[in-house]
Amino acid sequence: MLTFDAHLDLSLNALGGFNRDLRLSAHEIRRREAGMTGKGRAGGTTCFPDMRRGQVGICVATQLAGCMPGPSPIAGWMSPEQAWAETQGQLSWYRAMEELGEMRQIRNIRELDEMVALWNDTSIPDEKKAIGYILSLEGADSIRTVGHLEKAWEQGLRAMGPAHYGVCRYALGHDKVGPLPAGGKELIQEMDRLGMILDVTHLSDECFWQALEIHQGTVWASHSNCRALVPDPRQFDDDQIKALIARGGVMGAALDAWMMIPGWIRGKTTPQDTGLKLEVICDHIDHVCQLAGNSLHSGIGTDLDGGYGIEQTPEDLDTIADLARIPAMLAKRGYTDEDIANIMHGNYLRLLREAWAE
């Protein structure tokens, strides 16, 4: 079954300090990183061959560069101009992958339908198919001014989350408490004018509610889980999930272990310590579906290799290809074929068609 993954930091892994050639298999990338130290090293899960093997044919692929000086190479740029330059480098890598036929950017309904048709065409081997991607920006710090957002739109940026971690230029991350600054309100208004999808993932609670009030267009949560199951500000509480449902949004279930089960201590807890299994993600999917009363608002947004590897994923997940096991897990819980198709790809495809309808 075609899988739509709503959050993959592909350019971060190709560049951003990891220097991974995603045309290689995950196991080959791990072999080349053997002996390296650092979070996620020799434990990557995501690359083009394994995406194709799991029929992860369409994804939301990110640009990422923050201006929160600190130890993180993805967040420590000292100026918006430097962060902008970093995201332009990431865009150049996506363009190079397009030239090689590895990826294909999706900017409108026609291009979306072409990619769906390609992945539904059984006469073409999956390993020969390009991976379709919708370009998103995780954290808006690299948008030099509100006026620069239109240039990003012209480059194909179709979704954006105003915040990442901490005190960002246009919003506060989930780990902070407080409202949107004036510039953040202006940015979200400009997103609305352009027709850009608002990704509410990572927003502080107050920023979340303000952003929903300002932005009248399409909203989604690309990679978020349920606070009712994992009590942490990174997750969404039931009122937030209900608000997304009321707006027709979709919430992508994430496979970062500390977001899946409570009590996980990053850098200390291991999958083997907890016995965490992939099937736990179905608990989060089911919680959203129960709140909605249907299967129309839950999806997949793994965040695999988002700065971590198999040391921080379910112990029975080897590579992203294992997403292909989720449909059987949902069927075991009583979900129908239609429900499963909605969750694996249909809901995000519907949302994009609605967002881009003329």
Side-chain angles (χ1 to χ4, degrees):
M1 178 180 291
L2 172 64
T3 294
F4 183 113
D5 191 329
H7 190 85
L8 288 175
D9 296 315
L10 297 178
S11 66
L12 173 67
N13 281 274
L15 306 173
F18 282 97
N19 192 22
R20 289 169 171 164
D21 185 349
L22 299 186
R23 296 171 297 174
L24 304 174
S25 71
H27 289 166
E28 175 59 20
I29 293 171
R30 290 179 200 170
R31 188 191 68 79
R32 294 186 179 202
E33 293 181 355
M36 290 186 183
T37 59
K39 191 175 181 181
R41 283 302 189 184
T45 66
T46 303
C47 58
F48 299 148
D50 286 278
M51 288 177 71
R52 294 185 177 101
R53 193 159 56 87
Q55 293 192 308
V56 185
I58 303 177
C59 68
V60 178
T62 68
Q63 296 167 293
L64 176 59
C67 293
M68 301 84 74
S72 173
I74 65 173
W77 299 105
M78 298 302 292
S79 72
E81 291 74 22
Q82 289 167 279
W84 171 266
E86 172 67 15
T87 62
Q88 292 304 292
Q90 293 168 359
L91 181 62
S92 293
W93 176 78
Y94 286 120
R95 296 286 186 253
M97 293 302 102
E98 291 178 59
E99 291 176 11
L100 293 172
E102 297 284 351
M103 302 185 76
R104 190 183 303 172
Q105 190 173 21
I106 299 170
R107 295 158 293 190
N108 52 50
I109 291 177
R110 176 184 60 80
E111 292 172 347
L112 180 66
D113 288 343
E114 287 174 355
M115 287 306 303
V116 172
L118 173 65
W119 277 91
N120 286 334
D121 187 345
T122 57
S123 69
I124 303 173
D126 289 346
E127 60 268 22
K128 300 292 185 181
K129 297 174 181 177
I131 294 168
Y133 77 101
I134 296 93
L135 188 64
S136 181
L137 181 63
E138 185 171 21
D141 283 9
S142 62
I143 302 299
R144 294 166 57 190
T145 69
V146 171
H148 282 82
L149 190 60
E150 188 163 3
K151 179 174 179 59
W153 173 269
E154 292 169 355
Q155 293 176 335
L157 186 69
R158 291 296 179 264
M160 183 170 70
H164 196 209
Y165 283 79
V167 178
C168 304
R169 293 181 60 224
Y170 296 101
L172 298 183
H174 63 270
D175 53 337
K176 300 296 179 181
V177 176
L180 291 168
K185 296 175 183 178
E186 294 175 11
L187 185 79
I188 293 170
Q189 288 171 345
E190 179 68 356
M191 291 178 66
D192 205 12
R193 183 188 74 80
L194 291 169
M196 190 174 291
I197 296 166
L198 171 65
D199 187 350
V200 295
T201 303
H202 282 298
L203 287 172
S204 73
D205 286 356
E206 190 171 352
C207 288
F208 170 93
W209 292 110
Q210 286 183 301
L212 280 189
E213 184 175 346
I214 294 168
H215 195 282
Q216 297 303 303
T218 303
V219 297
W220 68 29
S222 62
H223 58 303
S224 299
N225 288 348
C226 305
R227 200 176 296 181
L229 303 181
V230 180
D232 185 277
R234 174 64 178 84
Q235 328 301 339
F236 285 142
D237 67 26
D238 286 359
D239 286 341
Q240 291 172 306
I241 297 171
K242 289 175 183 177
L244 282 173
I245 292 167
R247 288 285 295 270
V250 180
M251 185 163 143
L255 291 176
D256 196 340
W258 75 275
M259 295 172 59
M260 295 178 67
I261 55 174
W264 186 283
I265 302 173
R266 282 178 285 180
K268 182 177 179 181
T269 309
T270 70
Q272 292 72 29
D273 291 338
T274 62
L276 174 63
K277 303 290 187 181
L278 179 59
E279 189 164 359
V280 171
I281 202 58
C282 297
D283 296 338
H284 291 271
I285 292 169
D286 186 64
H287 188 78
V288 175
C289 292
Q290 295 303 322
L291 289 174
N294 55 52
S295 63
L296 299 176
H297 300 279
S298 186
I300 306 297
T302 64
D303 196 21
L304 285 173
D305 292 354
Y308 62 94
I310 55 174
E311 80 285 349
Q312 200 168 296
T313 62
E315 66 173 341
D316 59 340
L317 183 141
D318 182 30
T319 77
I320 195 170
D322 285 314
L323 297 185
R325 294 163 44 213
I326 293 177
M329 296 173 184
L330 292 171
K332 186 178 177 181
R333 294 179 180 227
Y335 281 80
T336 66
D337 290 347
E338 181 180 0
D339 293 331
I340 295 167
N342 287 339
I343 293 163
M344 298 305 294
H345 60 262
N347 291 334
Y348 275 116
L349 295 179
R350 181 193 71 246
L351 202 67
L352 288 168
R353 291 184 177 114
E354 291 171 354
W356 295 341
E358 296 182 357

